[in-house]
Each structure stands twice: as C-alpha cells, then as structure tokens.
Amino acid sequence: MSDQAVSARDLQKHYQMGEVTVRALRGATFDVPEGALVVLLGPSGSGKTTLLNLIGGLDTPTSGEVIVDGQNVGRLQEPELTEYRRDKVGFIFQFFNLVPTLTALENVELVGELAGNKEEAADLLERVGLGERLNYYPAELSGGEQQRVAIARALIKRPYLLLGDEPTGNLDYETGLLVLQLIRDVCDETDLTVLMVTHNAAIGQMADIVISLRSGHVEDIKRNEEPLAPSELTW
Ligand code: ADP
Ligand code: MG
C-alpha cells in the first residue's frame, strides 16, 4: 500500500493531572520508510517515550493520527489493538523486563509460543550470541546478555516494527556499542523497521534518520546519508 512503515500526523498526547494539562506531545508529524533505523532523540521529558508508546499501541493519542503499515493504530479497538501489539511490534526496554524465573530459552519460547514460532528460540539466541547460555537465568547473565535475550524475544514475533526505549541506557559503554551493533545488523539483514529512543546524540549518528524532539515538538528531522558503524560512536 504505502512504503512508509510509520506515518504520524499532528500527533498529540495530553495528560490531565488534576487541573493541569501536560502536553507531552504537541503535534508530531513525520514519516518513517520501511526498513529504516530511526533514532528518536531528545532530552528527558521531551516526549520520546510517549511517542514510542503511541506507535506501539500502548497508549492512545489525544488527537492526530499514527499509521503503521497502513493501519490507523490510534483508532484500533480491542481485540485488534491487542493483536497489533502482539503480532506487529517487538519491544525492548532499558531494564530488559525478562521473567526472572525462566531461563533465557524459556523467556524467548514464551513469546514464541504466542507467535507460533517457539522452535526458533534456540536459533535466535544463537543469532544474538547466546548459544552457550540457553539455560541460564536472567540473574546469571550480564546486562548486555540480558538485553540480547530481550532482543531475541522481540524478534521471535517476526515483528514489523522493533521499538526500543533507551535500550542501552542501563549498559556500560562497550556493551552498549555491541548491543547497538546487533540492532544495526538485525535491521540490515531483515526488512524490519527500527525506532529507538535515546537522549544520547552520539547514537543518532548510527541511524538512517534522526527525529529530534524538544518539549513535545519535532524540532528537526535529519537523514544520515552515511550512518556511522556503532563501533565508530563515542560519548
Ligand atoms: P521522555 O521519554 O522524552 O523523557 P516522556 O514521554 O516520558 O518523555 O514524558 C513527556 C512529558 O509528559 C513529561 O513532562 C512527563 O512528565 C509527562 N508524562 C509522561 N507520561 C505521563 C503520564 N502518564 N501522566 C502525566 N504526565 C506524563
Ligand atoms: Mg522516556
């Protein structure tokens, strides 16, 4: 239909806090082409998480539209909204959010079961470099390894979008770069579209497109003709 993976049109999100209206998003308009790696960049409080949650169907807009793969996500009702989140979107978070009582393999299988791809779990863990750690529990894995499990867990859905909210925010510099390289590789090897939130401008240099947010506005949209390899990033 369209080759835009994501189109936002005057997207707004207001939160009512008693008598105060917090305008977390004040009219975001942008397009994301299919297969792109996009960084949503902005300082704390600029609306990044709010925007990612609207795209992921975790929250509904106050006004405006967010279209993903031709579907108007903001207008979806149950059960379509749940199906959208389950089938189309893989999420990775700053704090990994693995189930502590399940092994790496079981964490990925749990989601694979819903998607009907449970048997791919071991291969995916191999793909993210954890072939030797299948039966380790999250507490037995480093932060970087836990985030790799979370990436495998997102990928087993064969999602259309991979959404990351500060996915390296809790990792040390070197480990963060390795996780960013994995995200870049996955984006390049598949037709997945990746949107990754960060407050770190250096990470924007590895993106195909950087959408900068400030105070709920899109301040700037920049294309990198030659994105840097994650190993070339410094901060
Ligand atoms: P970022 O991820 O860029 O730090 P957020 O999207 O989390 O920014 O927040 C943007 C603004 O909206 C902030 O002022 C924040 O306090 C406010 N906000 C976010 N979520 C809520 C909520 N559920 N209720 C009230 N205010 C919120
Ligand atoms: Mg945030």
Side-chain angles (χ1 to χ4, degrees):
M1 218 181 80
S2 86
D3 52 8
Q4 299 302 340
V6 180
S7 294
R9 292 290 173 271
D10 197 20
L11 197 56
Q12 307 212 18
K13 181 67 186 182
H14 304 164
Y15 295 104
Q16 202 60 42
M17 304 286 286
E19 297 188 350
V20 179
T21 304
V22 179
R23 292 186 164 77
L25 215 55
R26 302 166 180 244
T29 296
F30 58 86
D31 290 311
V32 172
E34 280 189 339
L37 193 160
V38 175
V39 159
L40 302 172
L41 177 68
S44 177
S46 58
K48 305 182 299 294
T49 295
T50 300
L51 177 56
L52 205 69
N53 288 347
L54 295 177
I55 295 168
L58 297 175
D59 208 346
T60 50
T62 305
S63 64
E65 291 192 332
V66 56
I67 314 284
V68 177
D69 194 20
Q71 263 185 308
N72 193 329
V73 177
R75 303 252 173 82
L76 290 179
Q77 306 283 329
E78 298 299 348
E80 286 78 14
L81 186 57
T82 298
E83 280 168 21
Y84 169 77
R85 281 195 297 258
R86 190 190 61 204
D87 299 338
K88 288 254 167 165
V89 191
F91 292 95
I92 49 178
F93 302 97
Q94 184 172 352
F95 294 104
F96 325 132
N97 296 5
L98 300 175
V99 181
T101 55
L102 298 180
T103 64
L105 184 64
E106 289 165 346
N107 264 281
V108 179
E109 283 180 343
L110 184 69
V111 172
E113 203 139 38
L114 292 174
N117 312 326
K118 187 180 167 198
E119 65 292 342
E120 289 176 19
D123 282 351
L124 272 168
L125 283 164
E126 179 94 28
R127 167 68 191 86
V128 301
L130 291 176
E132 314 280 282
R133 298 273 192 280
L134 300 184
N135 298 315
Y136 283 52
Y137 288 89
E140 300 171 324
L141 298 170
S142 70
E145 289 169 340
Q146 290 183 60
Q147 194 61 295
R148 286 166 184 275
V149 176
I151 291 170
R153 179 184 58 181
L155 293 178
I156 201 165
K157 299 165 109 181
R158 297 187 192 143
Y160 180 76
L161 286 182
L162 180 65
L163 303 182
D165 197 347
E166 306 267 7
T168 60
N170 201 36
L171 302 176
D172 65 69
Y173 174 71
E174 295 289 341
T175 307
L177 291 185
L178 293 173
V179 166
L180 292 174
Q181 185 65 57
L182 176 61
I183 291 170
R184 179 80 250 186
D185 290 345
V186 164
C187 185
D188 290 345
E189 290 164 16
T190 65
D191 44 19
L192 195 62
T193 304
V194 180
L195 282 88
M196 186 165 49
V197 158
T198 182
H199 63 272
N200 183 346
I203 294 178
Q205 296 177 294
M206 69 171 278
D208 301 311
I209 299 172
V210 181
I211 299 174
S212 299
L213 296 177
R214 184 171 291 275
S215 306
H217 293 284
V218 174
E219 190 180 54
D220 186 39
I221 301 178
K222 192 169 121 254
R223 270 175 182 276
N224 286 331
E225 294 309 330
E226 295 188 32
L228 294 185
S231 61
E232 296 173 287
L233 305 178
T234 50
W235 64 82

PDB file of all heavy atoms in Angstrom, residues 42-62:
ATOM      1  N   GLY A  42      16.065  13.166  22.077  1.00  0.00           N
ATOM      2  CA  GLY A  42      15.611  14.353  22.801  1.00  0.00           C
ATOM      3  C   GLY A  42      15.955  14.242  24.264  1.00  0.00           C
ATOM      4  O   GLY A  42      16.185  13.154  24.782  1.00  0.00           O
ATOM      5  N   PRO A  43      15.975  15.405  24.942  1.00  0.00           N
ATOM      6  CA  PRO A  43      16.276  15.388  26.368  1.00  0.00           C
ATOM      7  C   PRO A  43      15.147  14.740  27.166  1.00  0.00           C
ATOM      8  O   PRO A  43      14.053  14.519  26.652  1.00  0.00           O
ATOM      9  CB  PRO A  43      16.426  16.866  26.727  1.00  0.00           C
ATOM     10  CG  PRO A  43      15.685  17.599  25.668  1.00  0.00           C
ATOM     11  CD  PRO A  43      15.742  16.756  24.436  1.00  0.00           C
ATOM     12  N   SER A  44      15.428  14.447  28.408  1.00  0.00           N
ATOM     13  CA  SER A  44      14.422  13.873  29.303  1.00  0.00           C
ATOM     14  C   SER A  44      13.188  14.780  29.329  1.00  0.00           C
ATOM     15  O   SER A  44      13.307  16.001  29.394  1.00  0.00           O
ATOM     16  CB  SER A  44      15.037  13.761  30.698  1.00  0.00           C
ATOM     17  OG  SER A  44      14.088  13.277  31.593  1.00  0.00           O
ATOM     18  N   GLY A  45      12.020  14.174  29.222  1.00  0.00           N
ATOM     19  CA  GLY A  45      10.774  14.934  29.278  1.00  0.00           C
ATOM     20  C   GLY A  45      10.314  15.494  27.950  1.00  0.00           C
ATOM     21  O   GLY A  45       9.289  16.181  27.869  1.00  0.00           O
ATOM     22  N   SER A  46      11.040  15.200  26.861  1.00  0.00           N
ATOM     23  CA  SER A  46      10.689  15.797  25.562  1.00  0.00           C
ATOM     24  C   SER A  46       9.558  15.051  24.858  1.00  0.00           C
ATOM     25  O   SER A  46       9.080  15.505  23.815  1.00  0.00           O
ATOM     26  CB  SER A  46      11.932  15.874  24.659  1.00  0.00           C
ATOM     27  OG  SER A  46      12.498  14.592  24.469  1.00  0.00           O
ATOM     28  N   GLY A  47       9.149  13.888  25.387  1.00  0.00           N
ATOM     29  CA  GLY A  47       8.012  13.177  24.796  1.00  0.00           C
ATOM     30  C   GLY A  47       8.375  11.919  24.047  1.00  0.00           C
ATOM     31  O   GLY A  47       7.525  11.329  23.365  1.00  0.00           O
ATOM     32  N   LYS A  48       9.614  11.468  24.185  1.00  0.00           N
ATOM     33  CA  LYS A  48      10.085  10.300  23.421  1.00  0.00           C
ATOM     34  C   LYS A  48       9.309   9.038  23.774  1.00  0.00           C
ATOM     35  O   LYS A  48       8.842   8.320  22.884  1.00  0.00           O
ATOM     36  CB  LYS A  48      11.583  10.055  23.696  1.00  0.00           C
ATOM     37  CG  LYS A  48      12.465  11.244  23.426  1.00  0.00           C
ATOM     38  CD  LYS A  48      13.940  10.926  23.679  1.00  0.00           C
ATOM     39  CE  LYS A  48      14.300  10.529  25.085  1.00  0.00           C
ATOM     40  NZ  LYS A  48      14.129  11.597  26.092  1.00  0.00           N
ATOM     41  N   THR A  49       9.211   8.747  25.062  1.00  0.00           N
ATOM     42  CA  THR A  49       8.511   7.523  25.475  1.00  0.00           C
ATOM     43  C   THR A  49       7.034   7.604  25.103  1.00  0.00           C
ATOM     44  O   THR A  49       6.448   6.623  24.635  1.00  0.00           O
ATOM     45  CB  THR A  49       8.691   7.304  26.994  1.00  0.00           C
ATOM     46  OG1 THR A  49      10.079   7.061  27.241  1.00  0.00           O
ATOM     47  CG2 THR A  49       7.892   6.110  27.497  1.00  0.00           C
ATOM     48  N   THR A  50       6.460   8.783  25.291  1.00  0.00           N
ATOM     49  CA  THR A  50       5.053   8.976  24.908  1.00  0.00           C
ATOM     50  C   THR A  50       4.855   8.648  23.429  1.00  0.00           C
ATOM     51  O   THR A  50       3.920   7.920  23.064  1.00  0.00           O
ATOM     52  CB  THR A  50       4.642  10.437  25.184  1.00  0.00           C
ATOM     53  OG1 THR A  50       4.817  10.699  26.578  1.00  0.00           O
ATOM     54  CG2 THR A  50       3.200  10.698  24.785  1.00  0.00           C
ATOM     55  N   LEU A  51       5.736   9.163  22.590  1.00  0.00           N
ATOM     56  CA  LEU A  51       5.629   8.923  21.151  1.00  0.00           C
ATOM     57  C   LEU A  51       5.794   7.436  20.828  1.00  0.00           C
ATOM     58  O   LEU A  51       5.009   6.863  20.049  1.00  0.00           O
ATOM     59  CB  LEU A  51       6.693   9.763  20.426  1.00  0.00           C
ATOM     60  CG  LEU A  51       6.792   9.589  18.918  1.00  0.00           C
ATOM     61  CD1 LEU A  51       5.453   9.870  18.240  1.00  0.00           C
ATOM     62  CD2 LEU A  51       7.869  10.522  18.347  1.00  0.00           C
ATOM     63  N   LEU A  52       6.781   6.802  21.449  1.00  0.00           N
ATOM     64  CA  LEU A  52       7.009   5.380  21.177  1.00  0.00           C
ATOM     65  C   LEU A  52       5.795   4.540  21.615  1.00  0.00           C
ATOM     66  O   LEU A  52       5.389   3.600  20.916  1.00  0.00           O
ATOM     67  CB  LEU A  52       8.268   4.924  21.924  1.00  0.00           C
ATOM     68  CG  LEU A  52       8.981   3.717  21.324  1.00  0.00           C
ATOM     69  CD1 LEU A  52       9.617   4.090  19.997  1.00  0.00           C
ATOM     70  CD2 LEU A  52      10.036   3.181  22.279  1.00  0.00           C
ATOM     71  N   ASN A  53       5.211   4.912  22.745  1.00  0.00           N
ATOM     72  CA  ASN A  53       4.045   4.172  23.235  1.00  0.00           C
ATOM     73  C   ASN A  53       2.834   4.337  22.312  1.00  0.00           C
ATOM     74  O   ASN A  53       2.048   3.398  22.144  1.00  0.00           O
ATOM     75  CB  ASN A  53       3.688   4.617  24.657  1.00  0.00           C
ATOM     76  CG  ASN A  53       4.707   4.113  25.672  1.00  0.00           C
ATOM     77  OD1 ASN A  53       5.532   3.250  25.376  1.00  0.00           O
ATOM     78  ND2 ASN A  53       4.652   4.667  26.876  1.00  0.00           N
ATOM     79  N   LEU A  54       2.696   5.501  21.717  1.00  0.00           N
ATOM     80  CA  LEU A  54       1.585   5.694  20.759  1.00  0.00           C
ATOM     81  C   LEU A  54       1.814   4.838  19.515  1.00  0.00           C
ATOM     82  O   LEU A  54       0.880   4.215  19.001  1.00  0.00           O
ATOM     83  CB  LEU A  54       1.459   7.171  20.358  1.00  0.00           C
ATOM     84  CG  LEU A  54       1.059   8.137  21.471  1.00  0.00           C
ATOM     85  CD1 LEU A  54       1.039   9.565  20.937  1.00  0.00           C
ATOM     86  CD2 LEU A  54      -0.311   7.778  22.056  1.00  0.00           C
ATOM     87  N   ILE A  55       3.064   4.797  19.050  1.00  0.00           N
ATOM     88  CA  ILE A  55       3.376   3.991  17.851  1.00  0.00           C
ATOM     89  C   ILE A  55       3.172   2.507  18.156  1.00  0.00           C
ATOM     90  O   ILE A  55       2.676   1.754  17.319  1.00  0.00           O
ATOM     91  CB  ILE A  55       4.825   4.273  17.389  1.00  0.00           C
ATOM     92  CG1 ILE A  55       4.962   5.720  16.919  1.00  0.00           C
ATOM     93  CG2 ILE A  55       5.227   3.308  16.267  1.00  0.00           C
ATOM     94  CD1 ILE A  55       6.404   6.179  16.710  1.00  0.00           C
ATOM     95  N   GLY A  56       3.526   2.091  19.380  1.00  0.00           N
ATOM     96  CA  GLY A  56       3.421   0.687  19.762  1.00  0.00           C
ATOM     97  C   GLY A  56       2.042   0.258  20.211  1.00  0.00           C
ATOM     98  O   GLY A  56       1.848  -0.907  20.568  1.00  0.00           O
ATOM     99  N   GLY A  57       1.083   1.179  20.225  1.00  0.00           N
ATOM    100  CA  GLY A  57      -0.273   0.821  20.637  1.00  0.00           C
ATOM    101  C   GLY A  57      -0.400   0.586  22.137  1.00  0.00           C
ATOM    102  O   GLY A  57      -1.336  -0.056  22.588  1.00  0.00           O
ATOM    103  N   LEU A  58       0.546   1.132  22.912  1.00  0.00           N
ATOM    104  CA  LEU A  58       0.476   1.010  24.373  1.00  0.00           C
ATOM    105  C   LEU A  58      -0.334   2.150  24.978  1.00  0.00           C
ATOM    106  O   LEU A  58      -0.682   2.108  26.159  1.00  0.00           O
ATOM    107  CB  LEU A  58       1.886   1.007  24.986  1.00  0.00           C
ATOM    108  CG  LEU A  58       2.787  -0.147  24.580  1.00  0.00           C
ATOM    109  CD1 LEU A  58       4.187   0.042  25.147  1.00  0.00           C
ATOM    110  CD2 LEU A  58       2.212  -1.480  25.040  1.00  0.00           C
ATOM    111  N   ASP A  59      -0.594   3.171  24.163  1.00  0.00           N
ATOM    112  CA  ASP A  59      -1.346   4.331  24.631  1.00  0.00           C
ATOM    113  C   ASP A  59      -2.073   4.900  23.413  1.00  0.00           C
ATOM    114  O   ASP A  59      -1.688   4.607  22.273  1.00  0.00           O
ATOM    115  CB  ASP A  59      -0.359   5.366  25.214  1.00  0.00           C
ATOM    116  CG  ASP A  59      -1.004   6.229  26.287  1.00  0.00           C
ATOM    117  OD1 ASP A  59      -2.248   6.231  26.397  1.00  0.00           O
ATOM    118  OD2 ASP A  59      -0.246   6.907  27.005  1.00  0.00           O
ATOM    119  N   THR A  60      -3.109   5.679  23.646  1.00  0.00           N
ATOM    120  CA  THR A  60      -3.883   6.212  22.509  1.00  0.00           C
ATOM    121  C   THR A  60      -3.726   7.730  22.439  1.00  0.00           C
ATOM    122  O   THR A  60      -3.651   8.404  23.469  1.00  0.00           O
ATOM    123  CB  THR A  60      -5.379   5.875  22.641  1.00  0.00           C
ATOM    124  OG1 THR A  60      -5.815   6.258  23.944  1.00  0.00           O
ATOM    125  CG2 THR A  60      -5.619   4.386  22.442  1.00  0.00           C
ATOM    126  N   PRO A  61      -3.649   8.280  21.221  1.00  0.00           N
ATOM    127  CA  PRO A  61      -3.424   9.717  21.084  1.00  0.00           C
ATOM    128  C   PRO A  61      -4.646  10.536  21.519  1.00  0.00           C
ATOM    129  O   PRO A  61      -5.779  10.072  21.432  1.00  0.00           O
ATOM    130  CB  PRO A  61      -3.156   9.901  19.583  1.00  0.00           C
ATOM    131  CG  PRO A  61      -3.652   8.679  18.916  1.00  0.00           C
ATOM    132  CD  PRO A  61      -3.691   7.582  19.928  1.00  0.00           C
ATOM    133  N   THR A  62      -4.378  11.753  21.975  1.00  0.00           N
ATOM    134  CA  THR A  62      -5.452  12.707  22.246  1.00  0.00           C
ATOM    135  C   THR A  62      -6.041  13.195  20.931  1.00  0.00           C
ATOM    136  O   THR A  62      -7.253  13.333  20.789  1.00  0.00           O
ATOM    137  CB  THR A  62      -4.897  13.897  23.064  1.00  0.00           C
ATOM    138  OG1 THR A  62      -4.276  13.387  24.239  1.00  0.00           O
ATOM    139  CG2 THR A  62      -5.990  14.875  23.434  1.00  0.00           C
TER     140      THR A  62
END
